[in-house]
Amino acid sequence: LALICKFVFTIFTFGMKIPSGLFVPSIAMGSIAGRLLGIVMEQLAVSLQNDSSYWQMQCQIGKECVMPGLYAMVGAAAVLGGVTRMTDNARKTQDGIVTNSIVYFSTHAPSDPDNIGGPAPLRLRKLMDMAPTTLTDQTPMETVIDMFRKLGLRQTLVTRNGRLLGVITKKDVLTHMKQLDKGESPDIGPLPRVARMFL
């Protein structure tokens, strides 16, 4: 019942792009499914212990031969790996693509690798976000915090006259908010502007 409910909830939360809508629930679903399988195997081992002399030799009565918790851990890792895997299908659809292939995100990528006889390059230009969220270095930190809250950003690019200054991540914003909550002033003083984060 927990697995079914978690599966249904995950469908809705992932579709609504809620934080932890896929990552954490996939671990929970995998661990629940793994533990279910572990419990089944545990009961099977107990029943075989009483009926089979072979199982009595392999697993002594009164000792744990099957640990459902281990199945839960493997299940969590399996489901998490399944839902977050890259489609890296390029090996099947493109000749010469291997694990060590050089990845290019630029528009123009060389048709042949630099080293003769090396693996073919992998072009991932089509997967790039061509319109990332940006802000200027004069943006007030209150606006930045509001953007992270309402847009659910993980990071945003900071520019000045079209030039990239740096990246503000969610961790940077949380650290800044924590310092303000504690009444601590950062080493560079108050941060009314984003530019101060890069001084």
Side-chain angles (χ1 to χ4, degrees):
L1 182 60
L3 179 59
I4 294 173
C5 292
K6 199 67 176 176
F7 180 73
V8 174
F9 293 157
T10 301
I11 292 175
F12 285 99
T13 57
F14 182 58
M16 292 186 294
K17 297 184 179 179
I18 294 177
S20 298
L22 179 65
F23 192 85
V24 174
S26 64
I27 295 176
M29 286 189 298
S31 60
I32 293 172
R35 188 164 185 87
L36 282 174
L37 180 60
I39 291 173
V40 171
M41 296 301 296
E42 184 181 37
Q43 296 301 317
L44 180 62
V46 170
S47 64
L48 290 176
Q49 276 182 334
N50 300 326
D51 300 335
S52 173
S53 59
Y54 173 78
W55 276 94
Q56 289 180 1
M57 291 186 299
Q58 297 297 324
C59 183
Q60 298 179 5
I61 297 177
K63 291 188 177 180
E64 292 185 359
C65 298
V66 178
M67 294 179 289
L70 183 60
Y71 280 78
M73 183 178 66
V74 174
V79 173
L80 181 62
V83 299
T84 59
R85 66 186 176 89
M86 295 287 289
T87 53
D88 263 350
N89 290 332
R91 298 187 199 178
K92 300 178 182 178
T93 58
Q94 301 180 32
D95 295 332
I97 300 298
V98 296
T99 304
N100 297 329
S101 294
I102 300 176
V103 178
Y104 288 96
F105 293 94
S106 58
T107 305
H108 302 289
S111 57
D112 296 323
D114 295 336
N115 54 331
I116 304 298
L122 178 61
R123 298 170 182 82
L124 297 179
R125 174 73 175 180
K126 60 181 180 181
L127 300 180
M128 287 186 62
D129 183 4
M130 301 305 296
T133 304
T134 61
L135 46 85
T136 66
D137 58 338
Q138 297 300 312
T139 304
M141 277 304 297
E142 293 79 9
T143 304
V144 177
I145 294 172
D146 200 38
M147 288 176 61
F148 271 84
R149 283 179 176 167
K150 294 184 178 180
L151 299 179
L153 301 179
R154 294 182 182 177
Q155 66 275 327
T156 183
L157 304 181
V158 181
T159 61
R160 176 190 294 168
N161 298 328
R163 290 178 172 268
L164 180 66
L165 288 181
V167 179
I168 295 181
T169 64
K170 184 185 292 186
K171 184 177 180 181
D172 297 327
V173 175
L174 292 176
T175 301
H176 172 68
M177 293 174 62
K178 186 177 180 181
Q179 290 176 340
L180 293 179
D181 290 341
K182 289 184 176 180
E184 300 176 358
S185 58
D187 296 337
I188 56 175
L191 296 176
R193 301 283 180 184
V194 172
R196 293 183 175 273
M197 298 188 72
F198 300 97
L199 293 178

